[in-house]
Amino acid sequence: MVLDIFFFVRMYFDVELRMDFLQQLEAGFDLCALSCRDFFSPGKTVGLGVSGGADSMALLYGAFLLRNKYWGKEGALLQVVTVNHNIRPPEESGGDAAFVQRFCSGLDAVQCIIVDLPPGLVAKTAQFRRRGVEEAARFLRYEAFQREAEAADCQFFLLAHNQNDQLETLLLRFLQGSGDAVSQGIPLQRGIFVRPLLQVWRHDIEVFLISHQVEFRSDSTNQENDYLRNRCRNLLIPLLDKDFGGWQRGVLSGSEKRQDDNDLISSLVPSDLWQEGDGESLVAPWDRFLPLHSALRRRVLYEVFNRFGVDSRIPYHLLRPLVHLSATGNESLNDCLGVASLPAGLFTFGSVQVEAAKDGLVVRKKAQQGDASGFALVIDGKGEYCLPMGRLSVDEAACCEKGSCERALLVGEMCFLSPIVVRSPEPGDKILVRGKVQSAQEILSKSQKDQFVAVVEEVGKETVELLSVSSLCTKQE
């Protein structure tokens, strides 16, 4: 009996002892409450993000085998999307995309779409989002995945993050001081994106590829230590492996415990704390916010930022005064804040402003001024796009005097080649107005205070063009 229990415990914690790769992959679908028989059933289209690397090639071929196991080629269509970011030499990044396409052509009921990002777009996006190149590439890649998934009517889109990726993410977020849900690492599922390999070790992936003679490509930038994740992978993790045996299980079990703690904390957050305020704002009354424990205050603050579309990490030092604001005894709110009178604004971050009002804590969309910086939107097709001052309509143009008719976009009466960036002016901009180049300072000095202006930049061009935002935008409802 003792031996049986010992064997069961080993089988539970050491999955690789009892499961080969395909079993682990199928178990990954089960963890997401997805049955492979239903998931790959006929009539469905399943999206997959495939770069050509070991992880994504294992996901692709594993999904192909599982689809065939239950339904054969009559099962779900596998729609592969591979993104060429054009941030590496053309023969390398273009070669990866071509490799994925060739591999898919040899599989039944598997289609491949190559999304080519224009050269320079990743760098421009990194500049406008004020983040790194790696983050910008990820942002654009997920945009492409979402767009192609919607076009193909995919209910789910598979991604190839694995257990090693999870460990790297947990270490990075610990080093960055992340808390709450962020510290739990990569989720198994978020929206349409599903990660069935998240419990699989890279070693098992490589064994699977070798045993099935599946080739894969290696990204040369993975060996460069310019990025924080690469330094973690290439420098920190080898050191931990060498001198701190068993650290992986400790990190993963710690994450699981934090998940339990965070689930409990989330259950204690008042669902009706935030009330509609004037305009586009939400208010948490002081008599309901101040009694909350600091852990709950932190949680409700991060959640309300998410509701306003903030997708980047807010530095904790901005939140600390509110999170640990005293609410004991007969202290007045002013005494708690340590100021003589209520401040007009506690802080701003991105498009959000946090204010301390008499009746409560107010979170609102930050008002944009004519010369304000802080908004930038990459547009690559027809649609309605949200700017801080309203909705901007973009149409396809029949043709454009600037070049390719297939990429022509119409903004008001102005024609541009896709993709374009609509953004707030910056001091060094050279703005083309009626054939004359002017500086951003000249333009902004002439604009009225209540008139919002923006510029349109075509990737790779030295000059940008002025956009009369006030006349083109419709008010957001």
Side-chain angles (χ1 to χ4, degrees), residues 26-171:
E26 189 160 1
F29 283 105
D30 292 337
L31 288 173
C32 299
L34 301 170
S35 159
C36 279
R37 175 175 288 278
D38 293 335
F39 190 81
F40 293 109
S41 59
K44 293 184 178 179
T45 300
V46 177
L48 299 93
V50 180
S51 66
D55 303 336
S56 61
M57 292 301 293
L59 175 64
L60 168 57
Y61 196 61
F64 171 76
L65 294 178
L66 286 177
R67 192 274 312 270
N68 287 356
K69 170 184 174 181
Y70 287 103
W71 297 102
K73 64 181 180 181
E74 302 303 321
L77 171 68
L78 302 185
Q79 180 69 74
V80 171
V81 180
T82 185
V83 179
N84 179 6
H85 300 89
N86 272 306
I87 55 177
R88 292 180 288 149
E91 63 274 9
E92 188 174 344
S93 58
D96 290 350
F99 166 78
V100 173
Q101 192 171 53
R102 284 196 302 272
F103 186 85
C104 292
S105 67
L107 303 177
D108 291 328
V110 177
Q111 294 181 355
C112 179
I113 294 175
I114 297 177
V115 177
D116 278 304
L117 301 182
L121 179 59
V122 173
K124 288 288 185 183
T125 304
Q127 177 186 353
F128 297 132
R129 285 174 64 82
R130 291 170 172 82
R131 312 278 283 278
V133 170
E134 187 178 28
E135 189 279 338
R138 178 185 181 278
F139 171 78
L140 293 170
R141 182 167 62 251
Y142 273 76
E143 270 198 339
F145 289 162
Q146 184 80 44
R147 184 171 60 250
E148 297 301 335
E150 291 175 358
D153 196 25
C154 298
Q155 185 178 1
F156 295 106
F157 196 94
L158 305 183
L159 300 175
H161 299 93
N162 59 52
Q163 190 85 286
N164 295 73
D165 296 322
Q166 183 71 288
L167 278 172
E168 292 169 6
T169 299
L170 291 170
L171 284 175

